[in-house]
Amino acid sequence: MLDAAFWAALGAAILVASWRMDRLEALGINPWSAPGLMPGVVGALMIVLALVLAFQARRAAADDEPPAAVPPVGSARPVWVAATLCVTFAGLTLGRGLPFVVEGAVFIFVFTTVFSGPTWRESRQVARGLVQALMVAVLASTAIAWLFESVFLVRLP
């Protein structure tokens, strides 16, 4: 529950800060490309996901079931793996050949597989998990590319 409160507070701070940013109307900036729009959306999504996390934590506490596939307290391995994947994607591969949609789908698929693989193996649903991860990766990457190119008017590599 404390984790959910932290993420909700961080999301609220980001949302408030983005709301207070200059809209640049005097420069004739399109409202959909205002500087605070994307951080505001991210902050709002963080709040929603924090509420989902709180709901799941409350339900798990009521059922007295331990959370699934949680690394030991103080384990830095998941953080380093996530950081390595993100830096590799954003810093090394992005914009160096393949279109964003392909690289984004590969990143989402690999990230999901690395962090969900142990749970899939425990439940013996590896094939189903891989298919779902691939579908989510392709759909998410396509939606992200469309959002940035059509709504925010950002040209992607």
Side-chain angles (χ1 to χ4, degrees):
M1 270 312 223
L2 191 58
D3 291 341
F6 168 78
W7 289 111
L10 184 60
I14 292 170
L15 184 61
V16 168
S18 70
W19 186 263
R20 298 179 69 195
M21 287 181 78
D22 186 13
R23 299 285 188 267
L24 304 175
E25 292 106 358
L27 300 175
I29 300 294
N30 181 339
W32 287 105
S33 61
L37 183 63
M38 190 62 190
V41 170
V42 170
L45 287 174
M46 286 174 68
I47 294 169
V48 169
L49 294 175
L51 292 173
V52 171
L53 180 63
F55 175 75
Q56 288 179 341
R58 177 175 267 200
R59 193 178 71 200
D63 295 342
D64 290 331
E65 69 181 45
V70 174
V73 174
S75 173
R77 183 180 176 276
V79 174
W80 284 107
V81 170
T84 302
L85 288 171
C86 289
V87 167
T88 301
F89 170 66
L92 299 177
T93 64
L94 189 61
R96 303 224 192 316
L98 293 175
F100 174 83
V101 175
V102 175
E103 287 201 30
V106 168
F107 170 75
I108 294 169
F109 178 76
V110 169
F111 197 95
T112 304
T113 302
V114 166
F115 286 99
S116 297
T119 305
W120 297 339
R121 282 192 294 277
E122 284 177 15
S123 64
R124 297 182 182 175
Q125 296 194 4
V126 175
R128 179 179 179 190
L130 288 171
V131 169
Q132 286 179 339
L134 182 61
M135 289 175 18
V136 166
V138 169
L139 290 173
S141 182
T142 303
I144 291 166
W146 174 83
L147 179 69
F148 274 85
E149 290 177 346
S150 300
V151 176
F152 300 122
L153 306 175
V154 175
R155 194 175 136 256
L156 296 173

